[in-house]
Amino acid sequence: MPTPIHYHVDLSDRLHHLVRVTLTVPGELATGARIVLPVWTPGSYVRRDYVHHVQWIRARTRGGATVDLRPDGISAWRLPDELPDKPADEPADEPADEPADELPDELPDELPDEPADEPGPPDVEVELELYANELTVRTNHVDDHHALLIPAATFPYVQGAEHHPHQVHLPPDPPEHRVHALLPPGDEPDTYRAEDLHHLIDSAFEVGDFPSLDFEVAGVPHQLVWAGHSGTQPLGMLRADLEAIGEAAVALFEGDLPVERYTFLVTAWDQGGGGLEHRDGAVIQIPARVFQSEDVYARLQLLLAHEYLHLWNVKRLTPADLVRPDYEHPVLSESLWVAEGFTAHYDELLCVRAGAWSVRRYLDALRDNLQRLEDRPGVALQPLRQASLQAWTKHYIRDENTPNAGTDYYGHGALVAWWLDLRLRAQHPKGDGLDTVLRELWRRHAGRPEGYTEQDVEAAVRDVGTDELATELRELVTGTDLPPVLAALHAVGLRDESDDPRPAPHLGVRIRESDRGMVLASVLRDRPAWQAGLSGGDQLIAIDGHAVGRGELSTALHAFRPGEQVAVTVVRGPRLLTVPVTLGAPRARRRLVAVDEPTAEQRQAFRTWTGRPIDEAQPGDR
């Protein structure tokens, strides 16, 4: 068994958002060791350069001797090839004057060779202080209320010792707080053990005095920890949803849960939102008033389902490039459209199968994703595979031109998954559609050290469907056409209809509203506002001399006809500009509804797909 790597975490200065971490490098590894702080967190494909938060870092031997720790890269340091035995101010040992031992009367002919004990290199303690005041699911946040610690942002590692066990000593501070960890407990109090570095990085810690919710899925213990500022929450209403979503996920993969326990760490805050999957749990962030809004609560259900699905898809069914990632450098993968896109398709589907969502909410969510992509000019510039490969420079680094620069492998991948699902159900109305492909991928590649590739996905589609379908899939992934999902709706007894009897003319912008008014968050390429010279970031003031306030744009545009020229007044920096814009044709809002007289096959396919009767998708249903 390799020597464990030990960490100690000190939260005593949490009021100033400071965390002190001590890494103990075993003596046999210390000489010339390279110490690396990760630059990214798996599941979030962008450089975050956590070294930015390091206030200071230093090293010393267990005996207290200062060790020269030199930078070796942007976020790495190197220990010297020779380590001091004693502190510089401690005098060297001098031999004491002792009486000579008396020799025995008789000596043996030969004395055995007894080599002197040679002390090995001393253990080295590398200590650093981190500033932790960035609350996301990928970064650390420490204050008087809680301590959320993300290992990639917290623990420097010893390069070359990634396969060693890693142990974290994290005593709660103050003592009445409790540590909630995605790692199993160690043998000593307040310790947590990881099988190796990858297990450590694939975990998280939440420290505080929080309510929690315990439940089971398929006989496996689960816990949801609620770290929020909004007082007592009706967590009991989550229990049924979590159990049902969990059971729907187990049914999807037709097997036992591949985990001994699972924990959701939920931070309820006044801003932001998102989730990050881990091997045995997930970190979720959601607005504090989640239970006061039906739509925000539905967003929480979706996040919980999405990260829970990653327990299978990503964490055990893993893209080849991400099986053992390099935490110091970006790792490119062409398969994120499967890892995230397929998961984004199934998170909504699991919510409706579990009964957490109505059929109408689900169909509207499918419709909204399709229309977002249709109104994203960048789809025509960036193939889906390329979007996966360029995640590091495109998806997570956004500006007002992002919709014009590329596609979204989450939403676009989900649209491809939906199209595949519909096509497979058209071929086999009594079958399980894309579920069968996912199960086949799981059977062939889950837990394999080589992971899976895009070609493996095509092979599963070919075996479950047809060669033609696999070829069409490859063309959609490598090209820039959106999948023709509307033409495939008949497989499950659906059609689309207009949901807006009087749509407004099209301006070609995305709006960001605030208390200060409306800002053109993005001006879509080659649409009316783009052609007129408006720019993302412009603040919309008036149309044809009439002020336009928050929530009033659609009403204002209804006063005009497509092709009509209007004067749009904006504030751009210090300037007030009025620009003539020729309005475009309306962008009709669709609605997905059941066909008038679904056949028996369509009814069966719809129920197998959603777990619900097609009658819940009737045109009159809202």
Side-chain angles (χ1 to χ4, degrees), residues 10-47:
D10 178 1
L11 297 175
S12 60
D13 206 1
R14 60 194 298 166
L15 289 178
H16 299 104
H17 313 293
L18 295 174
V19 181
R20 295 184 186 93
V21 178
T22 302
L23 158 66
T24 300
V25 184
E28 69 265 27
L29 301 174
T31 301
R34 191 164 184 265
I35 311 300
V36 182
L37 186 65
V39 303
W40 66 287
T41 297
S44 179
Y45 306 101
V46 64
R47 286 186 65 105

Short mmCIF file of all heavy atoms in Angstrom, two decimals, residues 10-47:
data_model
loop_
_atom_site.label_atom_id
_atom_site.label_comp_id
_atom_site.label_asym_id
_atom_site.label_seq_id
_atom_site.Cartn_x
_atom_site.Cartn_y
_atom_site.Cartn_z
N ASP A 10 -7.48 24.17 8.34
CA ASP A 10 -7.69 25.06 9.49
C ASP A 10 -8.68 26.14 9.07
O ASP A 10 -8.41 26.95 8.18
CB ASP A 10 -6.35 25.68 9.89
CG ASP A 10 -6.48 26.67 11.05
OD1 ASP A 10 -7.61 26.86 11.55
OD2 ASP A 10 -5.46 27.27 11.43
N LEU A 11 -9.86 26.15 9.73
CA LEU A 11 -10.92 27.12 9.43
C LEU A 11 -11.03 28.20 10.50
O LEU A 11 -12.04 28.91 10.56
CB LEU A 11 -12.26 26.40 9.30
CG LEU A 11 -12.41 25.38 8.17
CD1 LEU A 11 -13.75 24.67 8.26
CD2 LEU A 11 -12.25 26.05 6.81
N SER A 12 -10.03 28.37 11.33
CA SER A 12 -10.14 29.27 12.47
C SER A 12 -10.23 30.74 12.07
O SER A 12 -10.67 31.57 12.87
CB SER A 12 -8.95 29.07 13.42
OG SER A 12 -7.72 29.34 12.76
N ASP A 13 -9.84 31.09 10.83
CA ASP A 13 -9.92 32.48 10.38
C ASP A 13 -10.99 32.66 9.31
O ASP A 13 -10.86 33.46 8.39
CB ASP A 13 -8.55 32.94 9.83
CG ASP A 13 -8.37 34.45 9.95
OD1 ASP A 13 -9.28 35.11 10.48
OD2 ASP A 13 -7.33 34.96 9.52
N ARG A 14 -12.07 31.92 9.48
CA ARG A 14 -13.13 31.92 8.47
C ARG A 14 -13.85 33.27 8.38
O ARG A 14 -14.42 33.60 7.34
CB ARG A 14 -14.12 30.80 8.75
CG ARG A 14 -14.80 30.90 10.11
CD ARG A 14 -15.52 29.61 10.49
NE ARG A 14 -16.59 29.31 9.54
CZ ARG A 14 -17.19 28.12 9.48
NH1 ARG A 14 -16.81 27.15 10.29
NH2 ARG A 14 -18.16 27.92 8.62
N LEU A 15 -13.83 34.07 9.46
CA LEU A 15 -14.50 35.37 9.41
C LEU A 15 -13.88 36.28 8.35
O LEU A 15 -14.54 37.18 7.84
CB LEU A 15 -14.44 36.05 10.78
CG LEU A 15 -15.31 35.44 11.87
CD1 LEU A 15 -15.11 36.18 13.18
CD2 LEU A 15 -16.78 35.45 11.47
N HIS A 16 -12.60 36.05 8.04
CA HIS A 16 -11.93 36.84 7.01
C HIS A 16 -11.83 36.08 5.70
O HIS A 16 -11.02 36.42 4.83
CB HIS A 16 -10.53 37.24 7.50
CG HIS A 16 -10.55 38.07 8.74
ND1 HIS A 16 -10.22 37.57 9.99
CD2 HIS A 16 -10.89 39.37 8.93
CE1 HIS A 16 -10.34 38.52 10.89
NE2 HIS A 16 -10.76 39.63 10.29
N HIS A 17 -12.63 35.02 5.55
CA HIS A 17 -12.68 34.20 4.34
C HIS A 17 -11.34 33.51 4.07
O HIS A 17 -10.97 33.29 2.92
CB HIS A 17 -13.08 35.04 3.12
CG HIS A 17 -14.26 35.91 3.34
ND1 HIS A 17 -15.53 35.42 3.55
CD2 HIS A 17 -14.37 37.27 3.39
CE1 HIS A 17 -16.38 36.42 3.73
NE2 HIS A 17 -15.70 37.55 3.65
N LEU A 18 -10.61 33.16 5.13
CA LEU A 18 -9.30 32.55 4.96
C LEU A 18 -9.32 31.08 5.39
O LEU A 18 -9.93 30.72 6.40
CB LEU A 18 -8.25 33.31 5.76
CG LEU A 18 -7.97 34.75 5.30
CD1 LEU A 18 -7.01 35.44 6.26
CD2 LEU A 18 -7.43 34.78 3.87
N VAL A 19 -8.64 30.25 4.61
CA VAL A 19 -8.49 28.83 4.89
C VAL A 19 -7.01 28.51 4.84
O VAL A 19 -6.31 28.93 3.90
CB VAL A 19 -9.24 27.96 3.86
CG1 VAL A 19 -9.08 26.48 4.19
CG2 VAL A 19 -10.70 28.34 3.78
N ARG A 20 -6.52 27.78 5.83
CA ARG A 20 -5.12 27.35 5.81
C ARG A 20 -5.08 25.84 5.64
O ARG A 20 -5.77 25.09 6.35
CB ARG A 20 -4.40 27.78 7.09
CG ARG A 20 -4.30 29.30 7.21
CD ARG A 20 -3.51 29.77 8.41
NE ARG A 20 -3.60 31.22 8.51
CZ ARG A 20 -4.51 31.87 9.23
NH1 ARG A 20 -5.40 31.18 9.91
NH2 ARG A 20 -4.53 33.19 9.25
N VAL A 21 -4.27 25.41 4.70
CA VAL A 21 -4.17 23.99 4.37
C VAL A 21 -2.71 23.57 4.53
O VAL A 21 -1.80 24.26 4.04
CB VAL A 21 -4.64 23.73 2.92
CG1 VAL A 21 -4.47 22.25 2.56
CG2 VAL A 21 -6.08 24.17 2.73
N THR A 22 -2.49 22.44 5.19
CA THR A 22 -1.15 21.88 5.33
C THR A 22 -1.11 20.52 4.63
O THR A 22 -1.89 19.62 4.98
CB THR A 22 -0.76 21.71 6.80
OG1 THR A 22 -0.82 22.98 7.45
CG2 THR A 22 0.65 21.17 6.92
N LEU A 23 -0.25 20.40 3.64
CA LEU A 23 -0.01 19.15 2.94
C LEU A 23 1.27 18.52 3.50
O LEU A 23 2.32 19.18 3.50
CB LEU A 23 0.15 19.42 1.44
CG LEU A 23 0.90 18.38 0.60
CD1 LEU A 23 0.12 17.06 0.55
CD2 LEU A 23 1.17 18.90 -0.81
N THR A 24 1.18 17.30 3.97
CA THR A 24 2.37 16.59 4.44
C THR A 24 2.86 15.66 3.34
O THR A 24 2.16 14.72 2.95
CB THR A 24 2.07 15.79 5.71
OG1 THR A 24 1.63 16.68 6.74
CG2 THR A 24 3.32 15.05 6.18
N VAL A 25 4.07 15.95 2.84
CA VAL A 25 4.67 15.14 1.78
C VAL A 25 5.55 14.08 2.45
O VAL A 25 6.50 14.43 3.16
CB VAL A 25 5.51 16.01 0.84
CG1 VAL A 25 6.05 15.16 -0.31
CG2 VAL A 25 4.69 17.19 0.31
N PRO A 26 5.26 12.79 2.29
CA PRO A 26 6.10 11.75 2.92
C PRO A 26 7.55 11.89 2.48
O PRO A 26 7.85 12.28 1.34
CB PRO A 26 5.48 10.44 2.41
CG PRO A 26 4.08 10.80 2.02
CD PRO A 26 4.14 12.21 1.53
N GLY A 27 8.46 11.55 3.42
CA GLY A 27 9.88 11.74 3.16
C GLY A 27 10.36 11.07 1.89
O GLY A 27 11.17 11.63 1.14
N GLU A 28 9.86 9.85 1.59
CA GLU A 28 10.34 9.14 0.41
C GLU A 28 9.92 9.80 -0.90
O GLU A 28 10.44 9.50 -1.97
CB GLU A 28 9.89 7.68 0.42
CG GLU A 28 8.39 7.47 0.22
CD GLU A 28 7.62 7.35 1.53
OE1 GLU A 28 8.09 7.92 2.54
OE2 GLU A 28 6.58 6.69 1.53
N LEU A 29 8.95 10.74 -0.80
CA LEU A 29 8.49 11.46 -2.00
C LEU A 29 8.98 12.90 -2.05
O LEU A 29 8.84 13.57 -3.07
CB LEU A 29 6.96 11.47 -2.04
CG LEU A 29 6.24 10.12 -2.07
CD1 LEU A 29 4.73 10.35 -1.95
CD2 LEU A 29 6.55 9.36 -3.34
N ALA A 30 9.53 13.38 -0.94
CA ALA A 30 9.73 14.83 -0.79
C ALA A 30 10.89 15.37 -1.60
O ALA A 30 10.83 16.51 -2.11
CB ALA A 30 9.94 15.17 0.69
N THR A 31 11.98 14.61 -1.76
CA THR A 31 13.17 15.14 -2.42
C THR A 31 12.86 15.49 -3.87
O THR A 31 12.51 14.63 -4.68
CB THR A 31 14.31 14.11 -2.37
OG1 THR A 31 14.60 13.80 -0.99
CG2 THR A 31 15.57 14.67 -3.04
N GLY A 32 12.97 16.78 -4.20
CA GLY A 32 12.70 17.24 -5.56
C GLY A 32 11.26 17.16 -5.98
O GLY A 32 10.96 17.28 -7.18
N ALA A 33 10.33 16.97 -5.04
CA ALA A 33 8.91 16.79 -5.39
C ALA A 33 8.34 18.06 -6.01
O ALA A 33 8.70 19.18 -5.64
CB ALA A 33 8.11 16.41 -4.15
N ARG A 34 7.43 17.87 -6.94
CA ARG A 34 6.71 18.98 -7.57
C ARG A 34 5.31 19.03 -6.97
O ARG A 34 4.56 18.05 -7.01
CB ARG A 34 6.65 18.80 -9.08
CG ARG A 34 6.17 20.02 -9.84
CD ARG A 34 6.51 19.92 -11.33
NE ARG A 34 6.13 21.13 -12.04
CZ ARG A 34 4.97 21.30 -12.68
NH1 ARG A 34 4.08 20.31 -12.70
NH2 ARG A 34 4.69 22.43 -13.29
N ILE A 35 4.93 20.19 -6.43
CA ILE A 35 3.64 20.40 -5.77
C ILE A 35 2.77 21.24 -6.70
O ILE A 35 3.17 22.33 -7.12
CB ILE A 35 3.81 21.12 -4.42
CG1 ILE A 35 4.91 20.45 -3.58
CG2 ILE A 35 2.49 21.18 -3.68
CD1 ILE A 35 4.64 19.00 -3.26
N VAL A 36 1.58 20.73 -7.04
CA VAL A 36 0.73 21.36 -8.06
C VAL A 36 -0.63 21.70 -7.48
O VAL A 36 -1.27 20.86 -6.82
CB VAL A 36 0.55 20.42 -9.28
CG1 VAL A 36 -0.29 21.11 -10.36
CG2 VAL A 36 1.90 19.99 -9.85
N LEU A 37 -1.09 22.91 -7.69
CA LEU A 37 -2.47 23.29 -7.39
C LEU A 37 -3.26 23.26 -8.70
O LEU A 37 -2.86 23.89 -9.68
CB LEU A 37 -2.54 24.69 -6.78
CG LEU A 37 -3.92 25.13 -6.27
CD1 LEU A 37 -4.37 24.26 -5.10
CD2 LEU A 37 -3.90 26.59 -5.84
N PRO A 38 -4.37 22.49 -8.77
CA PRO A 38 -5.12 22.38 -10.02
C PRO A 38 -5.53 23.74 -10.57
O PRO A 38 -5.68 24.72 -9.83
CB PRO A 38 -6.34 21.55 -9.63
CG PRO A 38 -5.87 20.71 -8.48
CD PRO A 38 -4.92 21.62 -7.71
N VAL A 39 -5.73 23.77 -11.88
CA VAL A 39 -6.18 25.00 -12.54
C VAL A 39 -7.63 24.90 -12.98
O VAL A 39 -8.20 25.87 -13.48
CB VAL A 39 -5.28 25.35 -13.75
CG1 VAL A 39 -3.82 25.47 -13.34
CG2 VAL A 39 -5.43 24.33 -14.88
N TRP A 40 -8.26 23.71 -12.83
CA TRP A 40 -9.66 23.56 -13.24
C TRP A 40 -10.30 22.45 -12.43
O TRP A 40 -9.63 21.67 -11.76
CB TRP A 40 -9.76 23.26 -14.74
CG TRP A 40 -9.18 21.93 -15.16
CD1 TRP A 40 -7.85 21.60 -15.23
CD2 TRP A 40 -9.90 20.76 -15.56
NE1 TRP A 40 -7.70 20.30 -15.66
CE2 TRP A 40 -8.94 19.77 -15.87
CE3 TRP A 40 -11.25 20.46 -15.71
CZ2 TRP A 40 -9.29 18.49 -16.32
CZ3 TRP A 40 -11.61 19.18 -16.15
CH2 TRP A 40 -10.64 18.22 -16.45
N THR A 41 -11.62 22.41 -12.48
CA THR A 41 -12.40 21.41 -11.78
C THR A 41 -13.11 20.52 -12.80
O THR A 41 -13.81 21.05 -13.68
CB THR A 41 -13.46 22.07 -10.88
OG1 THR A 41 -12.80 22.84 -9.88
CG2 THR A 41 -14.33 21.03 -10.20
N PRO A 42 -12.95 19.20 -12.75
CA PRO A 42 -13.68 18.33 -13.69
C PRO A 42 -15.18 18.60 -13.66
O PRO A 42 -15.78 18.78 -12.59
CB PRO A 42 -13.35 16.92 -13.16
CG PRO A 42 -12.01 17.08 -12.53
CD PRO A 42 -12.03 18.45 -11.89
N GLY A 43 -15.76 18.64 -14.84
CA GLY A 43 -17.17 18.97 -14.99
C GLY A 43 -17.40 20.41 -15.36
O GLY A 43 -18.49 20.79 -15.79
N SER A 44 -16.37 21.26 -15.20
CA SER A 44 -16.45 22.67 -15.57
C SER A 44 -15.20 22.99 -16.38
O SER A 44 -14.12 23.19 -15.83
CB SER A 44 -16.52 23.55 -14.31
OG SER A 44 -16.57 24.91 -14.65
N TYR A 45 -15.37 23.02 -17.69
CA TYR A 45 -14.22 22.99 -18.60
C TYR A 45 -13.76 24.40 -18.96
O TYR A 45 -13.98 24.90 -20.06
CB TYR A 45 -14.58 22.16 -19.84
CG TYR A 45 -15.08 20.79 -19.44
CD1 TYR A 45 -16.45 20.50 -19.44
CD2 TYR A 45 -14.20 19.81 -18.98
CE1 TYR A 45 -16.91 19.27 -19.02
CE2 TYR A 45 -14.66 18.58 -18.57
CZ TYR A 45 -16.02 18.31 -18.59
OH TYR A 45 -16.48 17.09 -18.17
N VAL A 46 -13.10 25.02 -17.97
CA VAL A 46 -12.51 26.34 -18.17
C VAL A 46 -11.41 26.50 -17.12
O VAL A 46 -11.52 26.00 -16.00
CB VAL A 46 -13.57 27.46 -18.02
CG1 VAL A 46 -14.15 27.50 -16.62
CG2 VAL A 46 -13.00 28.81 -18.42
N ARG A 47 -10.31 27.17 -17.52
CA ARG A 47 -9.24 27.43 -16.56
C ARG A 47 -9.71 28.43 -15.50
O ARG A 47 -10.20 29.51 -15.83
CB ARG A 47 -8.01 28.01 -17.28
CG ARG A 47 -7.21 27.01 -18.09
CD ARG A 47 -5.96 27.68 -18.63
NE ARG A 47 -5.08 28.05 -17.54
CZ ARG A 47 -3.97 27.41 -17.22
NH1 ARG A 47 -3.61 26.33 -17.89
NH2 ARG A 47 -3.22 27.81 -16.21
#
